[in-house]
Amino acid sequence: MILTNHLPALQVVVPLLVAPLVVLMRVRGLPWAVATTTSLVAFAIAVGLTNTVLDSYSVTYEMGSWRAPYGIELHVTSFSALLLLIVTAASTLTLVAGKQSIDTEIEHDRQPLFYAAWLLALAGFTGIVVTGDAFNIFVFMEIASLASYVLIAAGSDRRVLPAVFKYLIMGTIGATFYLIGVGLIYMMTGTLNLADMEARIHEVGELRPILVAAGFITLGLILKAAIFPLHAWLPLSYTYAPHIVTAFLAACSTKVALYVLLRFDFLVFQQNLPAHEVQFTVFLMPLAVLAILIASGVAVFERNLKGLLAYSSLAQVGYILLGASLVSVPGLTAGLMHMFNHALAKGTLFLAVACLGMRFTRLGLVNLSGVARQMPWTMAAFVLAGLSLIGVPGTAGFISKWMLISAALQEGALGVALVAVIVVSSLLAVVYIWRVIELAYFGDPTEASQLANEAPAWLLVGTWVAALMNIYFGIIPSFPLSLARESAASLLQHLP
Amino acid sequence: MELLGLYNYWAFAVVLMTGLYAVITKGNLIKKLIGLSIFQSAVFLLYITMNKVDGGTAPIVQKGVTDQVFSNPLPQVLILTAIVVGISTTALGLAIVVRIKESYGTIEEHEIQNLDRDS
């Protein structure tokens, strides 16, 4: 069928075109219905693309029939398919489940704008993932970021404003660094097409500008991916954003930046810069280890539930990066699996937070004391996802941590040290998740938690669907695993 | 001499760092945004510099002229997009500053931090 040939373009174009239409919809409930349907369509397209990719390795699409490398080329690989599924599934699930939560947090007359920004963010994230053009990535990155700022700034606490301002400044600096890097590469090679860049860079005798470009691009994307020590924008933004927005962004935004980072470093730079894989490891592995240890440590002392989970997110980004910085197929596979599994676990946790947010105005840990008696289903889902975050056998989190540990052990003495880091950080995760559980189940009920009753059924159903997916992919991980394996193999094909 | 001949790139580096310096050191949120705009403008300069070809003119095909040297038009197009992105970012940033002023009554970073600490 002709339409299926255009799936890579439709993936981005559908949410992009619906977004301005949503602004005009003034009937109560309509913007939500249209945004959710669009997100569902995007998810269906992502599933369709994944099927094609699994059959035929990769899909290319020439925008407006302009031949690559002159025109913009869309390029969907198994790696992009994995990310597309994460992004569109996270968006769809949070939208379907989160209507009531959004209704309580966003006034009715601002909702059309809110949902339009949501669709723009979705279009931006999917755009970054499908495009094969370096400048196009910059444009989509900024579309996604600007929309994310708007979504986060919709939070009701005034402290969200300085937080989002900080995010805007740091996000823009990151994107501009990326742009400088792309400019330097364009200067040397005359191409913006990533596949063409791979082929052309080694024709360039003078490698200094390429080296500088690699520095700028890596640094810019590290900022966007909130890798320690450039993570300062993330915790406060996630803490004060509307709960459903946090669930959506926590599941995908940093991972999309990591996607671009891995694609550039392993496909474009790897075969062209001497000993690039060694530099990648030397530079990024310490950052990953620091992120894992410090962020987990801070999470243990955090007093706000969302802040705690945000710091835990930083640690999880560290795991993904640690897997990648091993620069081996098992390591990268583990990292990519962790992208998928962390999106599941953290998405569920933040949906459970949204459930709590329906009944509590303040989400300090002390406020939640004794809540499990009144909201048993919410807290049970929280515990389930918490176990997955810790990496208890039988949950999705276990699979990727196990793979990460076995990949690290192949690295000899260094690997043993890394395993120690992973174990220590997992124990810290036990501590911070247990703090929440202890208070919720065994703490004395506060006035607010005595008055609380179970969250609305629909939101709860969404949370439980996400929670059960943690179990499902913990027992039958073959589907994400096959995508992750194939992606890792294709990313590392240039390794000496 | 060769280094001085690359003065456009020197200008790029100086403007870039001026902007970054303002973003980092200024406590006033509007000044931070001005710094951010300067920072972004530097990149425009980088792109526009690299498209220039010695003796090149605008890439317009004329009848009968076959030996004309053209400047590269692509970076100009790219930077047009980047300028639009820069304007959107500045506009959104200013909108946030307006809301900060409305809810905090100040746009000085340290005063905002003090207000947050007290609440």
Side-chain angles (χ1 to χ4, degrees), chain A residues 135 158-159 172 179 183 186, chain B residues 40 47 72 78 99 103 116:
Chain A
F135 193 79
R158 72 171 181 179
R159 279 171 291 184
T172 307
L179 189 61
Y186 178 74
Chain B
Q40 288 177 312
Y47 272 71
N72 185 353
L78 298 181
R99 279 189 56 198
S103 46
D116 272 345

Side-chain angles (χ1 to χ4, degrees), chain A residues 343-356:
Chain A
L344 274 179
K346 208 37 80 58
T348 315
L349 285 169
F350 275 119
L351 277 175
V353 168
C355 289
L356 293 169

Side-chain angles (χ1 to χ4, degrees), chain A residues 7-9 11 46 49-50 52-53 56-61 73-82 84 126 129-132 259 263:
Chain A
L7 283 185
Q11 177 79 78
L49 279 173
T50 311
T52 324
V53 166
S56 66
Y57 182 60
S58 76
V59 184
T60 53
Y61 179 88
E73 185 189 36
L74 305 184
H75 190 69
V76 182
T77 58
S78 42
F79 190 17
S80 355
L82 183 72
L84 282 179
T126 49
V129 176
V130 295
T131 190
Y259 163 86
R263 226 172 130 181

Side-chain angles (χ1 to χ4, degrees), chain A residues 114-132:
Chain A
F114 177 83
Y115 287 112
W118 187 294
L119 287 178
L120 285 176
L122 179 64
F125 288 134
T126 49
I128 297 171
V129 176
V130 295
T131 190

Side-chain angles (χ1 to χ4, degrees), chain A residues 110 135 138-139 142 145-147 149-150 153-155 157-162 164-165 168-169 172-173 176-180 182-184 186-187 192 216, chain B residues 9 12 16 20 23 29 32-33 36 39-40 43 46-47 50 72 74-75 78-79 81-82 85 88-89 92-93 96-97 99-100 103-104 112 115-116 119:
Chain A
R110 281 199 301 157
F135 193 79
F138 165 75
V139 175
E142 282 309 82
S145 301
L146 287 167
Y149 308 146
V150 174
D157 194 309
R158 72 171 181 179
R159 279 171 291 184
V160 76
L161 297 168
V164 86
F165 188 82
L168 181 134
I169 297 278
T172 307
I173 290 176
T176 308
F177 271 14
Y178 172 81
L179 189 61
I180 295 172
V182 170
L184 290 171
Y186 178 74
M187 197 158 83
L192 289 168
F216 270 116
Chain B
Y9 294 104
F12 154 70
L16 188 79
L20 196 56
V23 173
L29 299 185
K32 267 186 193 294
L33 274 180
L36 197 67
F39 180 72
Q40 288 177 312
V43 184
L46 173 74
Y47 272 71
M50 73 171 95
N72 185 353
L74 187 67
L78 298 181
I79 238 45
T81 315
V85 169
S88 328
T89 312
L92 184 60
I96 294 170
V97 173
R99 279 189 56 198
I100 289 179
S103 46
Y104 284 89
I112 295 170
L115 283 170
D116 272 345
S119 65

Side-chain angles (χ1 to χ4, degrees), chain A residues 82-329:
Chain A
L82 183 72
L83 264 287
L84 282 179
L85 286 178
I86 294 176
V87 171
T88 54
S91 159
T92 309
L93 190 61
T94 47
L95 274 178
V96 169
K99 179 169 191 310
Q100 281 147 315
S101 175
I102 294 171
D103 280 343
T104 52
E105 285 194 280
I106 319 281
E107 299 112 63
H108 170 241
D109 57 335
R110 281 199 301 157
Q111 280 193 7
L113 296 170
F114 177 83
Y115 287 112
W118 187 294
L119 287 178
L120 285 176
L122 179 64
F125 288 134
T126 49
I128 297 171
V129 176
V130 295
T131 190
D133 182 279
F135 193 79
N136 220 213
I137 290 179
F138 165 75
V139 175
F140 279 125
M141 202 149 69
E142 282 309 82
I143 292 177
S145 301
L146 287 167
S148 310
Y149 308 146
V150 174
L151 289 176
I152 293 171
S156 44
D157 194 309
R158 72 171 181 179
R159 279 171 291 184
V160 76
L161 297 168
V164 86
F165 188 82
K166 192 184 219 171
Y167 183 14
L168 181 134
I169 297 278
M170 292 185 73
T172 307
I173 290 176
T176 308
F177 271 14
Y178 172 81
L179 189 61
I180 295 172
V182 170
L184 290 171
I185 295 182
Y186 178 74
M187 197 158 83
M188 300 307 287
T189 62
T191 183
L192 289 168
N193 183 303
L194 287 177
D196 200 32
M197 246 179 219
E198 275 175 66
R200 284 218 203 163
I201 286 184
H202 63 200
E203 291 170 11
V204 183
E206 165 68 87
L207 278 173
R208 177 75 62 81
I210 302 292
L211 204 59
V212 176
F216 270 116
I217 289 177
T218 308
L219 202 61
L221 292 171
I222 282 181
L223 243 169
K224 284 274 184 191
I227 292 164
F228 184 88
L230 301 175
H231 64 279
W233 57 267
L234 186 140
L236 285 179
S237 300
Y238 279 17
T239 305
Y240 298 119
H243 307 309
I244 291 295
V245 171
T246 313
F248 174 43
L249 293 183
C252 53
S253 81
T254 51
K255 293 171 192 71
V256 170
L258 274 174
Y259 163 86
V260 183
L261 180 73
L262 294 181
R263 226 172 130 181
F264 254 97
D265 270 302
F266 286 139
L267 290 181
V268 178
F269 297 133
Q270 173 58 43
Q271 53 177 340
N272 296 308
L273 295 176
H276 179 256
E277 72 277 5
V278 179
Q279 289 174 359
F280 187 83
T281 307
V282 168
F283 183 56
L284 290 178
M285 194 182 278
L287 294 188
V289 169
L290 284 174
I292 293 172
L293 291 178
I294 294 179
S296 301
V298 174
V300 170
F301 295 101
E302 180 62 40
R303 275 180 298 192
N304 181 299
L305 179 58
K306 282 172 88 180
L308 184 151
L309 294 176
Y311 274 105
S312 144
S313 274
L314 293 176
Q316 307 298 318
V317 170
Y319 283 122
I320 301 170
L321 191 68
L322 183 66
S325 68
L326 292 172
V327 200
S328 66
V329 174

